[in-house]
Amino acid sequence: MIFKAKKSLGQNFLVDKNILKSIANSTKIEKYDEILEIGPGTGNLTEFLIKKNPKKIYLIEKDENLVNLLKNKFPENLNIINDDILKFSKNSLLNEKSIIFGNLPYNISSQILAKFIINKNKFKFKKLIFMFQKELADRILAKVNTSNYGRFSILANWKFDIEKVIDIKPNSFLPKPKISSSLLIFNPKTPSVKLINPKNLEYVTSVFFNQRRKKIKKPMNILFKNSLDISKKLKLNLDLRPQNVSPEVFYQLTKEYENLRS
Ligand code: SAH
């Protein structure tokens, strides 16, 4: 390969054409849809996305060398932006027709997802199609009462219906990563519990899951002066452990936490 991959930027380029095609085919792309691709790298997935003829394609790539490579590779009018997705705030580039793709840099993939959940910038979009390390994908998909269940699944399920498309083996990438990946689709939904600030959900769940093996009595006391009243109101048994508390209850608890502060 001409381009030397940078580990610090999580560069593992997808080279398996069948997989690239199935990612591009994982959702219907209409001619009025717009695509934003995070971390296009050498443009392997981009090539397949172009064939879908969306109205627009924006690429956001942090590595300046790759930006230059992409500009040479795609002389046609793609919008190639040299920026860090974690700092990106141009919500004018996004609307209800935007489909956001990303074979995400693994070192920051959970932060990128959190950015679209907490959504401080009021991003609009139709769906997210993200690739993660399988381990993280499993945690995002985990159900209550399982060992993988925790903050990722609670946060992600607050805002999205999530479906898994495929698992992808390490040898589909160059350089080859150590573990498998999974492709997930996130379809935004109206949250069952409306929150003033979703960052509070991040905080409340962190208080519970920082001691995931302990009973929830203690974190309840940290969060609420009237923790007994709250647990009665929500019919919550304080001898449970965080892993046994459903997402819905965490959303309710966050609502109570917000009520106390407003
Ligand atoms: N989509 C390509 C590359 C995936 S590797 C493919 O499938 O082949 C991850 C890509 O994200 C790399 O190109 C890396 O340079 C880029 N990247 C890493 N950190 C980034 C950040 N903070 N913002 C935008 N792009 C980033």
Side-chain angles (χ1 to χ4, degrees), residues 52-83:
K52 299 273 154 187
N53 284 313
K55 189 170 154 206
K56 275 187 188 150
I57 300 186
Y58 297 99
L59 308 177
I60 299 186
E61 173 56 60
K62 185 173 175 183
D63 187 333
E64 205 183 330
N65 294 327
L66 284 174
V67 168
N68 292 329
L69 181 153
L70 290 163
K71 284 184 176 160
N72 287 322
K73 183 167 176 176
F74 302 115
E76 60 263 56
N77 229 351
L78 294 192
N79 304 279
I80 306 174
I81 302 160
N82 189 192
D83 199 358

Side-chain angles (χ1 to χ4, degrees), residues 90-215:
K90 287 201 196 76
N91 50 8
S92 59
L93 296 191
L94 292 166
N95 62 51
E96 303 76 13
K97 305 264 181 275
S98 302
I99 303 176
I100 306 177
F101 281 87
N103 167 13
L104 300 182
Y106 288 149
N107 44 344
I108 54 168
S109 54
S110 58
Q111 288 173 65
I112 295 173
L113 178 62
K115 180 168 177 138
F116 287 95
I117 297 171
I118 293 169
N119 208 344
K120 199 168 71 211
N121 302 93
K122 301 264 177 282
F123 292 137
K124 288 187 184 135
F125 53 89
K126 186 151 107 181
K127 53 180 78 188
L128 308 174
I129 303 182
F130 283 169
M131 197 192 305
F132 300 93
Q133 286 185 315
K134 184 169 180 300
E135 225 175 67
L136 177 57
D138 288 346
R139 289 209 224 162
I140 292 168
L141 294 167
K143 301 284 184 241
V144 62
N145 296 320
T146 66
S147 62
N148 275 330
Y149 178 68
R151 299 180 66 205
F152 290 117
S153 110
I154 296 164
L155 277 159
N157 281 286
W158 177 68
K159 180 147 172 168
F160 298 110
D161 285 321
I162 306 159
E163 40 176 321
K164 172 144 107 176
V165 185
I166 33 168
D167 288 328
I168 301 150
K169 294 251 149 61
N171 54 17
S172 300
F173 298 87
L174 254 180
K176 193 167 127 179
K178 288 203 178 65
I179 42 186
S180 291
S181 301
S182 305
L183 185 73
L184 304 183
I185 299 187
F186 298 80
N187 297 296
K189 65 177 179 194
T190 308
S192 56
V193 176
K194 213 173 165 186
L195 298 175
I196 299 166
N197 182 356
K199 255 198 162 340
N200 290 325
L201 179 59
E202 218 182 15
Y203 173 67
V204 167
T205 52
S206 78
V207 174
F208 282 95
F209 282 91
N210 279 345
Q211 308 206 350
R212 60 189 287 130
R213 299 193 197 291
K214 301 255 171 70
K215 293 179 178 173

Side-chain angles (χ1 to χ4, degrees), residues 9-14 37-42 44 60-63 66 83-86 103-105 108:
L9 287 175
Q11 292 176 353
N12 295 98
F13 303 110
L14 242 183
E37 190 190 350
I38 299 170
T42 50
N44 299 346
I60 299 186
E61 173 56 60
K62 185 173 175 183
D63 187 333
L66 284 174
D83 199 358
D84 179 338
I85 186 63
L86 294 177
N103 167 13
L104 300 182
I108 54 168

Side-chain angles (χ1 to χ4, degrees), residues 2-13:
I2 318 155
F3 186 83
K4 185 153 182 342
K6 295 190 186 73
K7 214 172 178 174
S8 62
L9 287 175
Q11 292 176 353
N12 295 98
F13 303 110

